[in-house]
Amino acid sequence: SQKIEQNSEALNIQEGKTATLTCNYTNYSPAYLQWYRQDPGRGPVFLLLIRENEKEKRKERLKVTFDTTLKQSLFHITASQPADSATYLCALPVTGGGNKLTFGTGTQLKVEL
Amino acid sequence: NAGVTQTPKFRVLKTGQSMTLLCAQDMNHEYMYWYRQDPGMGLRLIHYSVGEGTTAKGEVPDGYNVSRLKKQNFLLGLESAAPSQTSVYFCASSYRDSRWPGELFFGEGSRLTVL
């Protein structure tokens, strides 16, 4: 069955450093992958989408890579700030139409001063 | 624009009681979804709708019913609540475009506790 894996352990980094989060998947050949941010007590918020034919996508301090051979996406936040502290979710499309997504469990990022 | 609005935000039920969660979106989106989020389980799709008057089952539909009588509203019903349905419920919506996969817009969540 299709499976998405994100590191369940929280990632603690120092302000100004680059945070790298990993999303691995198995039994998938997704046409695209999405990343969301979720703050405590709030709903997820869309950040980036990357298609299978795109190796890399950037948006301000965010960068996402997509390696369909390794079945892995890396999510980078450069020059991290305490305001970047949140849980980050990766999501892949579910077959059958309707733009359905299946989500990983998320990785909590804590940026310390 | 309010985006996606969920009501109520909090609710406590006793086992066997029924209730309905309401989701409303003002973005004229075709697609709507109900997810539940539990610790360590991530977001799991309960039911979804691809248009007014249509509904379909997701990954964990048992114990829930849904209706989409109006395009802007998507209701999630629990006919006989069970403690296993204690969770945070998120409604989401997205537009329909065959050329571009759409992002999901989420509500703020409804926290349900079943005693």
Side-chain angles (χ1 to χ4, degrees):
Chain A
S1 61
Q2 300 168 329
K3 190 175 181 181
I4 304 174
E5 290 184 350
Q6 292 186 260
N7 193 345
S8 59
E9 290 184 14
L11 175 63
N12 297 324
I13 65 167
Q14 209 170 15
E15 183 180 18
K17 301 293 185 182
T18 296
T20 299
L21 286 68
T22 303
C23 176
N24 295 302
Y25 58 92
T26 56
N27 299 322
Y28 262 118
S29 293
Y32 60 90
L33 183 149
Q34 299 185 14
W35 283 90
Y36 289 76
R37 168 183 173 142
Q38 187 174 23
D39 292 287
R42 308 293 296 275
V45 175
F46 172 79
L47 295 174
L48 280 167
L49 180 151
I50 185 166
R51 292 179 177 271
E52 61 180 339
N53 60 351
E54 298 175 316
K55 296 294 185 185
E56 182 179 298
K57 198 81 166 280
R58 292 176 184 264
K59 179 182 177 182
E60 298 174 351
R61 294 184 295 110
L62 308 180
K63 185 179 83 172
V64 172
T65 62
F66 193 12
D67 190 324
T68 56
T69 300
L70 290 179
K71 294 188 181 295
Q72 180 182 80
S73 175
L74 299 179
F75 179 82
H76 307 272
I77 305 177
T78 58
S80 58
Q81 305 166 359
D84 295 326
S85 299
T87 296
Y88 292 87
L89 311 172
C90 72
L92 287 91
V94 178
T95 56
N99 199 30
K100 302 186 297 295
L101 294 177
T102 186
F103 287 81
T105 53
T107 299
Q108 185 179 15
L109 172 66
K110 296 179 181 178
V111 181
E112 302 164 340
L113 293 170
Chain B
N1 288 346
V4 178
T5 303
Q6 294 182 228
T7 53
K9 290 184 169 48
F10 301 93
R11 184 74 187 269
V12 178
L13 287 177
K14 294 182 179 179
T15 297
Q17 286 185 319
S18 63
M19 75 158 295
T20 300
L21 296 176
L22 171 64
C23 177
Q25 53 95 3
D26 61 1
M27 296 172 281
N28 201 34
H29 285 168
E30 289 290 337
Y31 298 156
M32 296 188 74
Y33 317 83
W34 275 107
Y35 284 87
R36 61 177 288 175
Q37 187 173 40
D38 303 290
M41 300 290 291
L43 286 157
R44 291 181 292 168
L45 182 64
I46 305 171
H47 286 280
Y48 66 101
S49 169
V50 298
E52 181 179 317
T54 74
T55 63
K57 294 179 180 179
E59 179 186 357
V60 287
D62 293 342
Y64 305 95
N65 56 76
V66 287
S67 64
R68 184 110 180 257
L69 299 180
K70 293 182 179 180
K71 185 177 183 179
Q72 64 268 34
N73 296 337
F74 196 28
L75 279 64
L76 178 70
L78 285 72
E79 291 184 347
S80 180
S84 61
Q85 294 178 304
T86 294
S87 187
V88 181
Y89 292 86
F90 287 99
C91 177
S93 69
S94 73
Y95 57 83
R96 175 184 177 182
D97 188 328
S98 60
R99 300 166 299 163
W100 186 256
E103 67 194 79
L104 267 58
F105 294 81
F106 283 85
E108 292 299 291
S110 297
R111 183 175 295 276
L112 175 65
T113 301
V114 183
L115 303 175

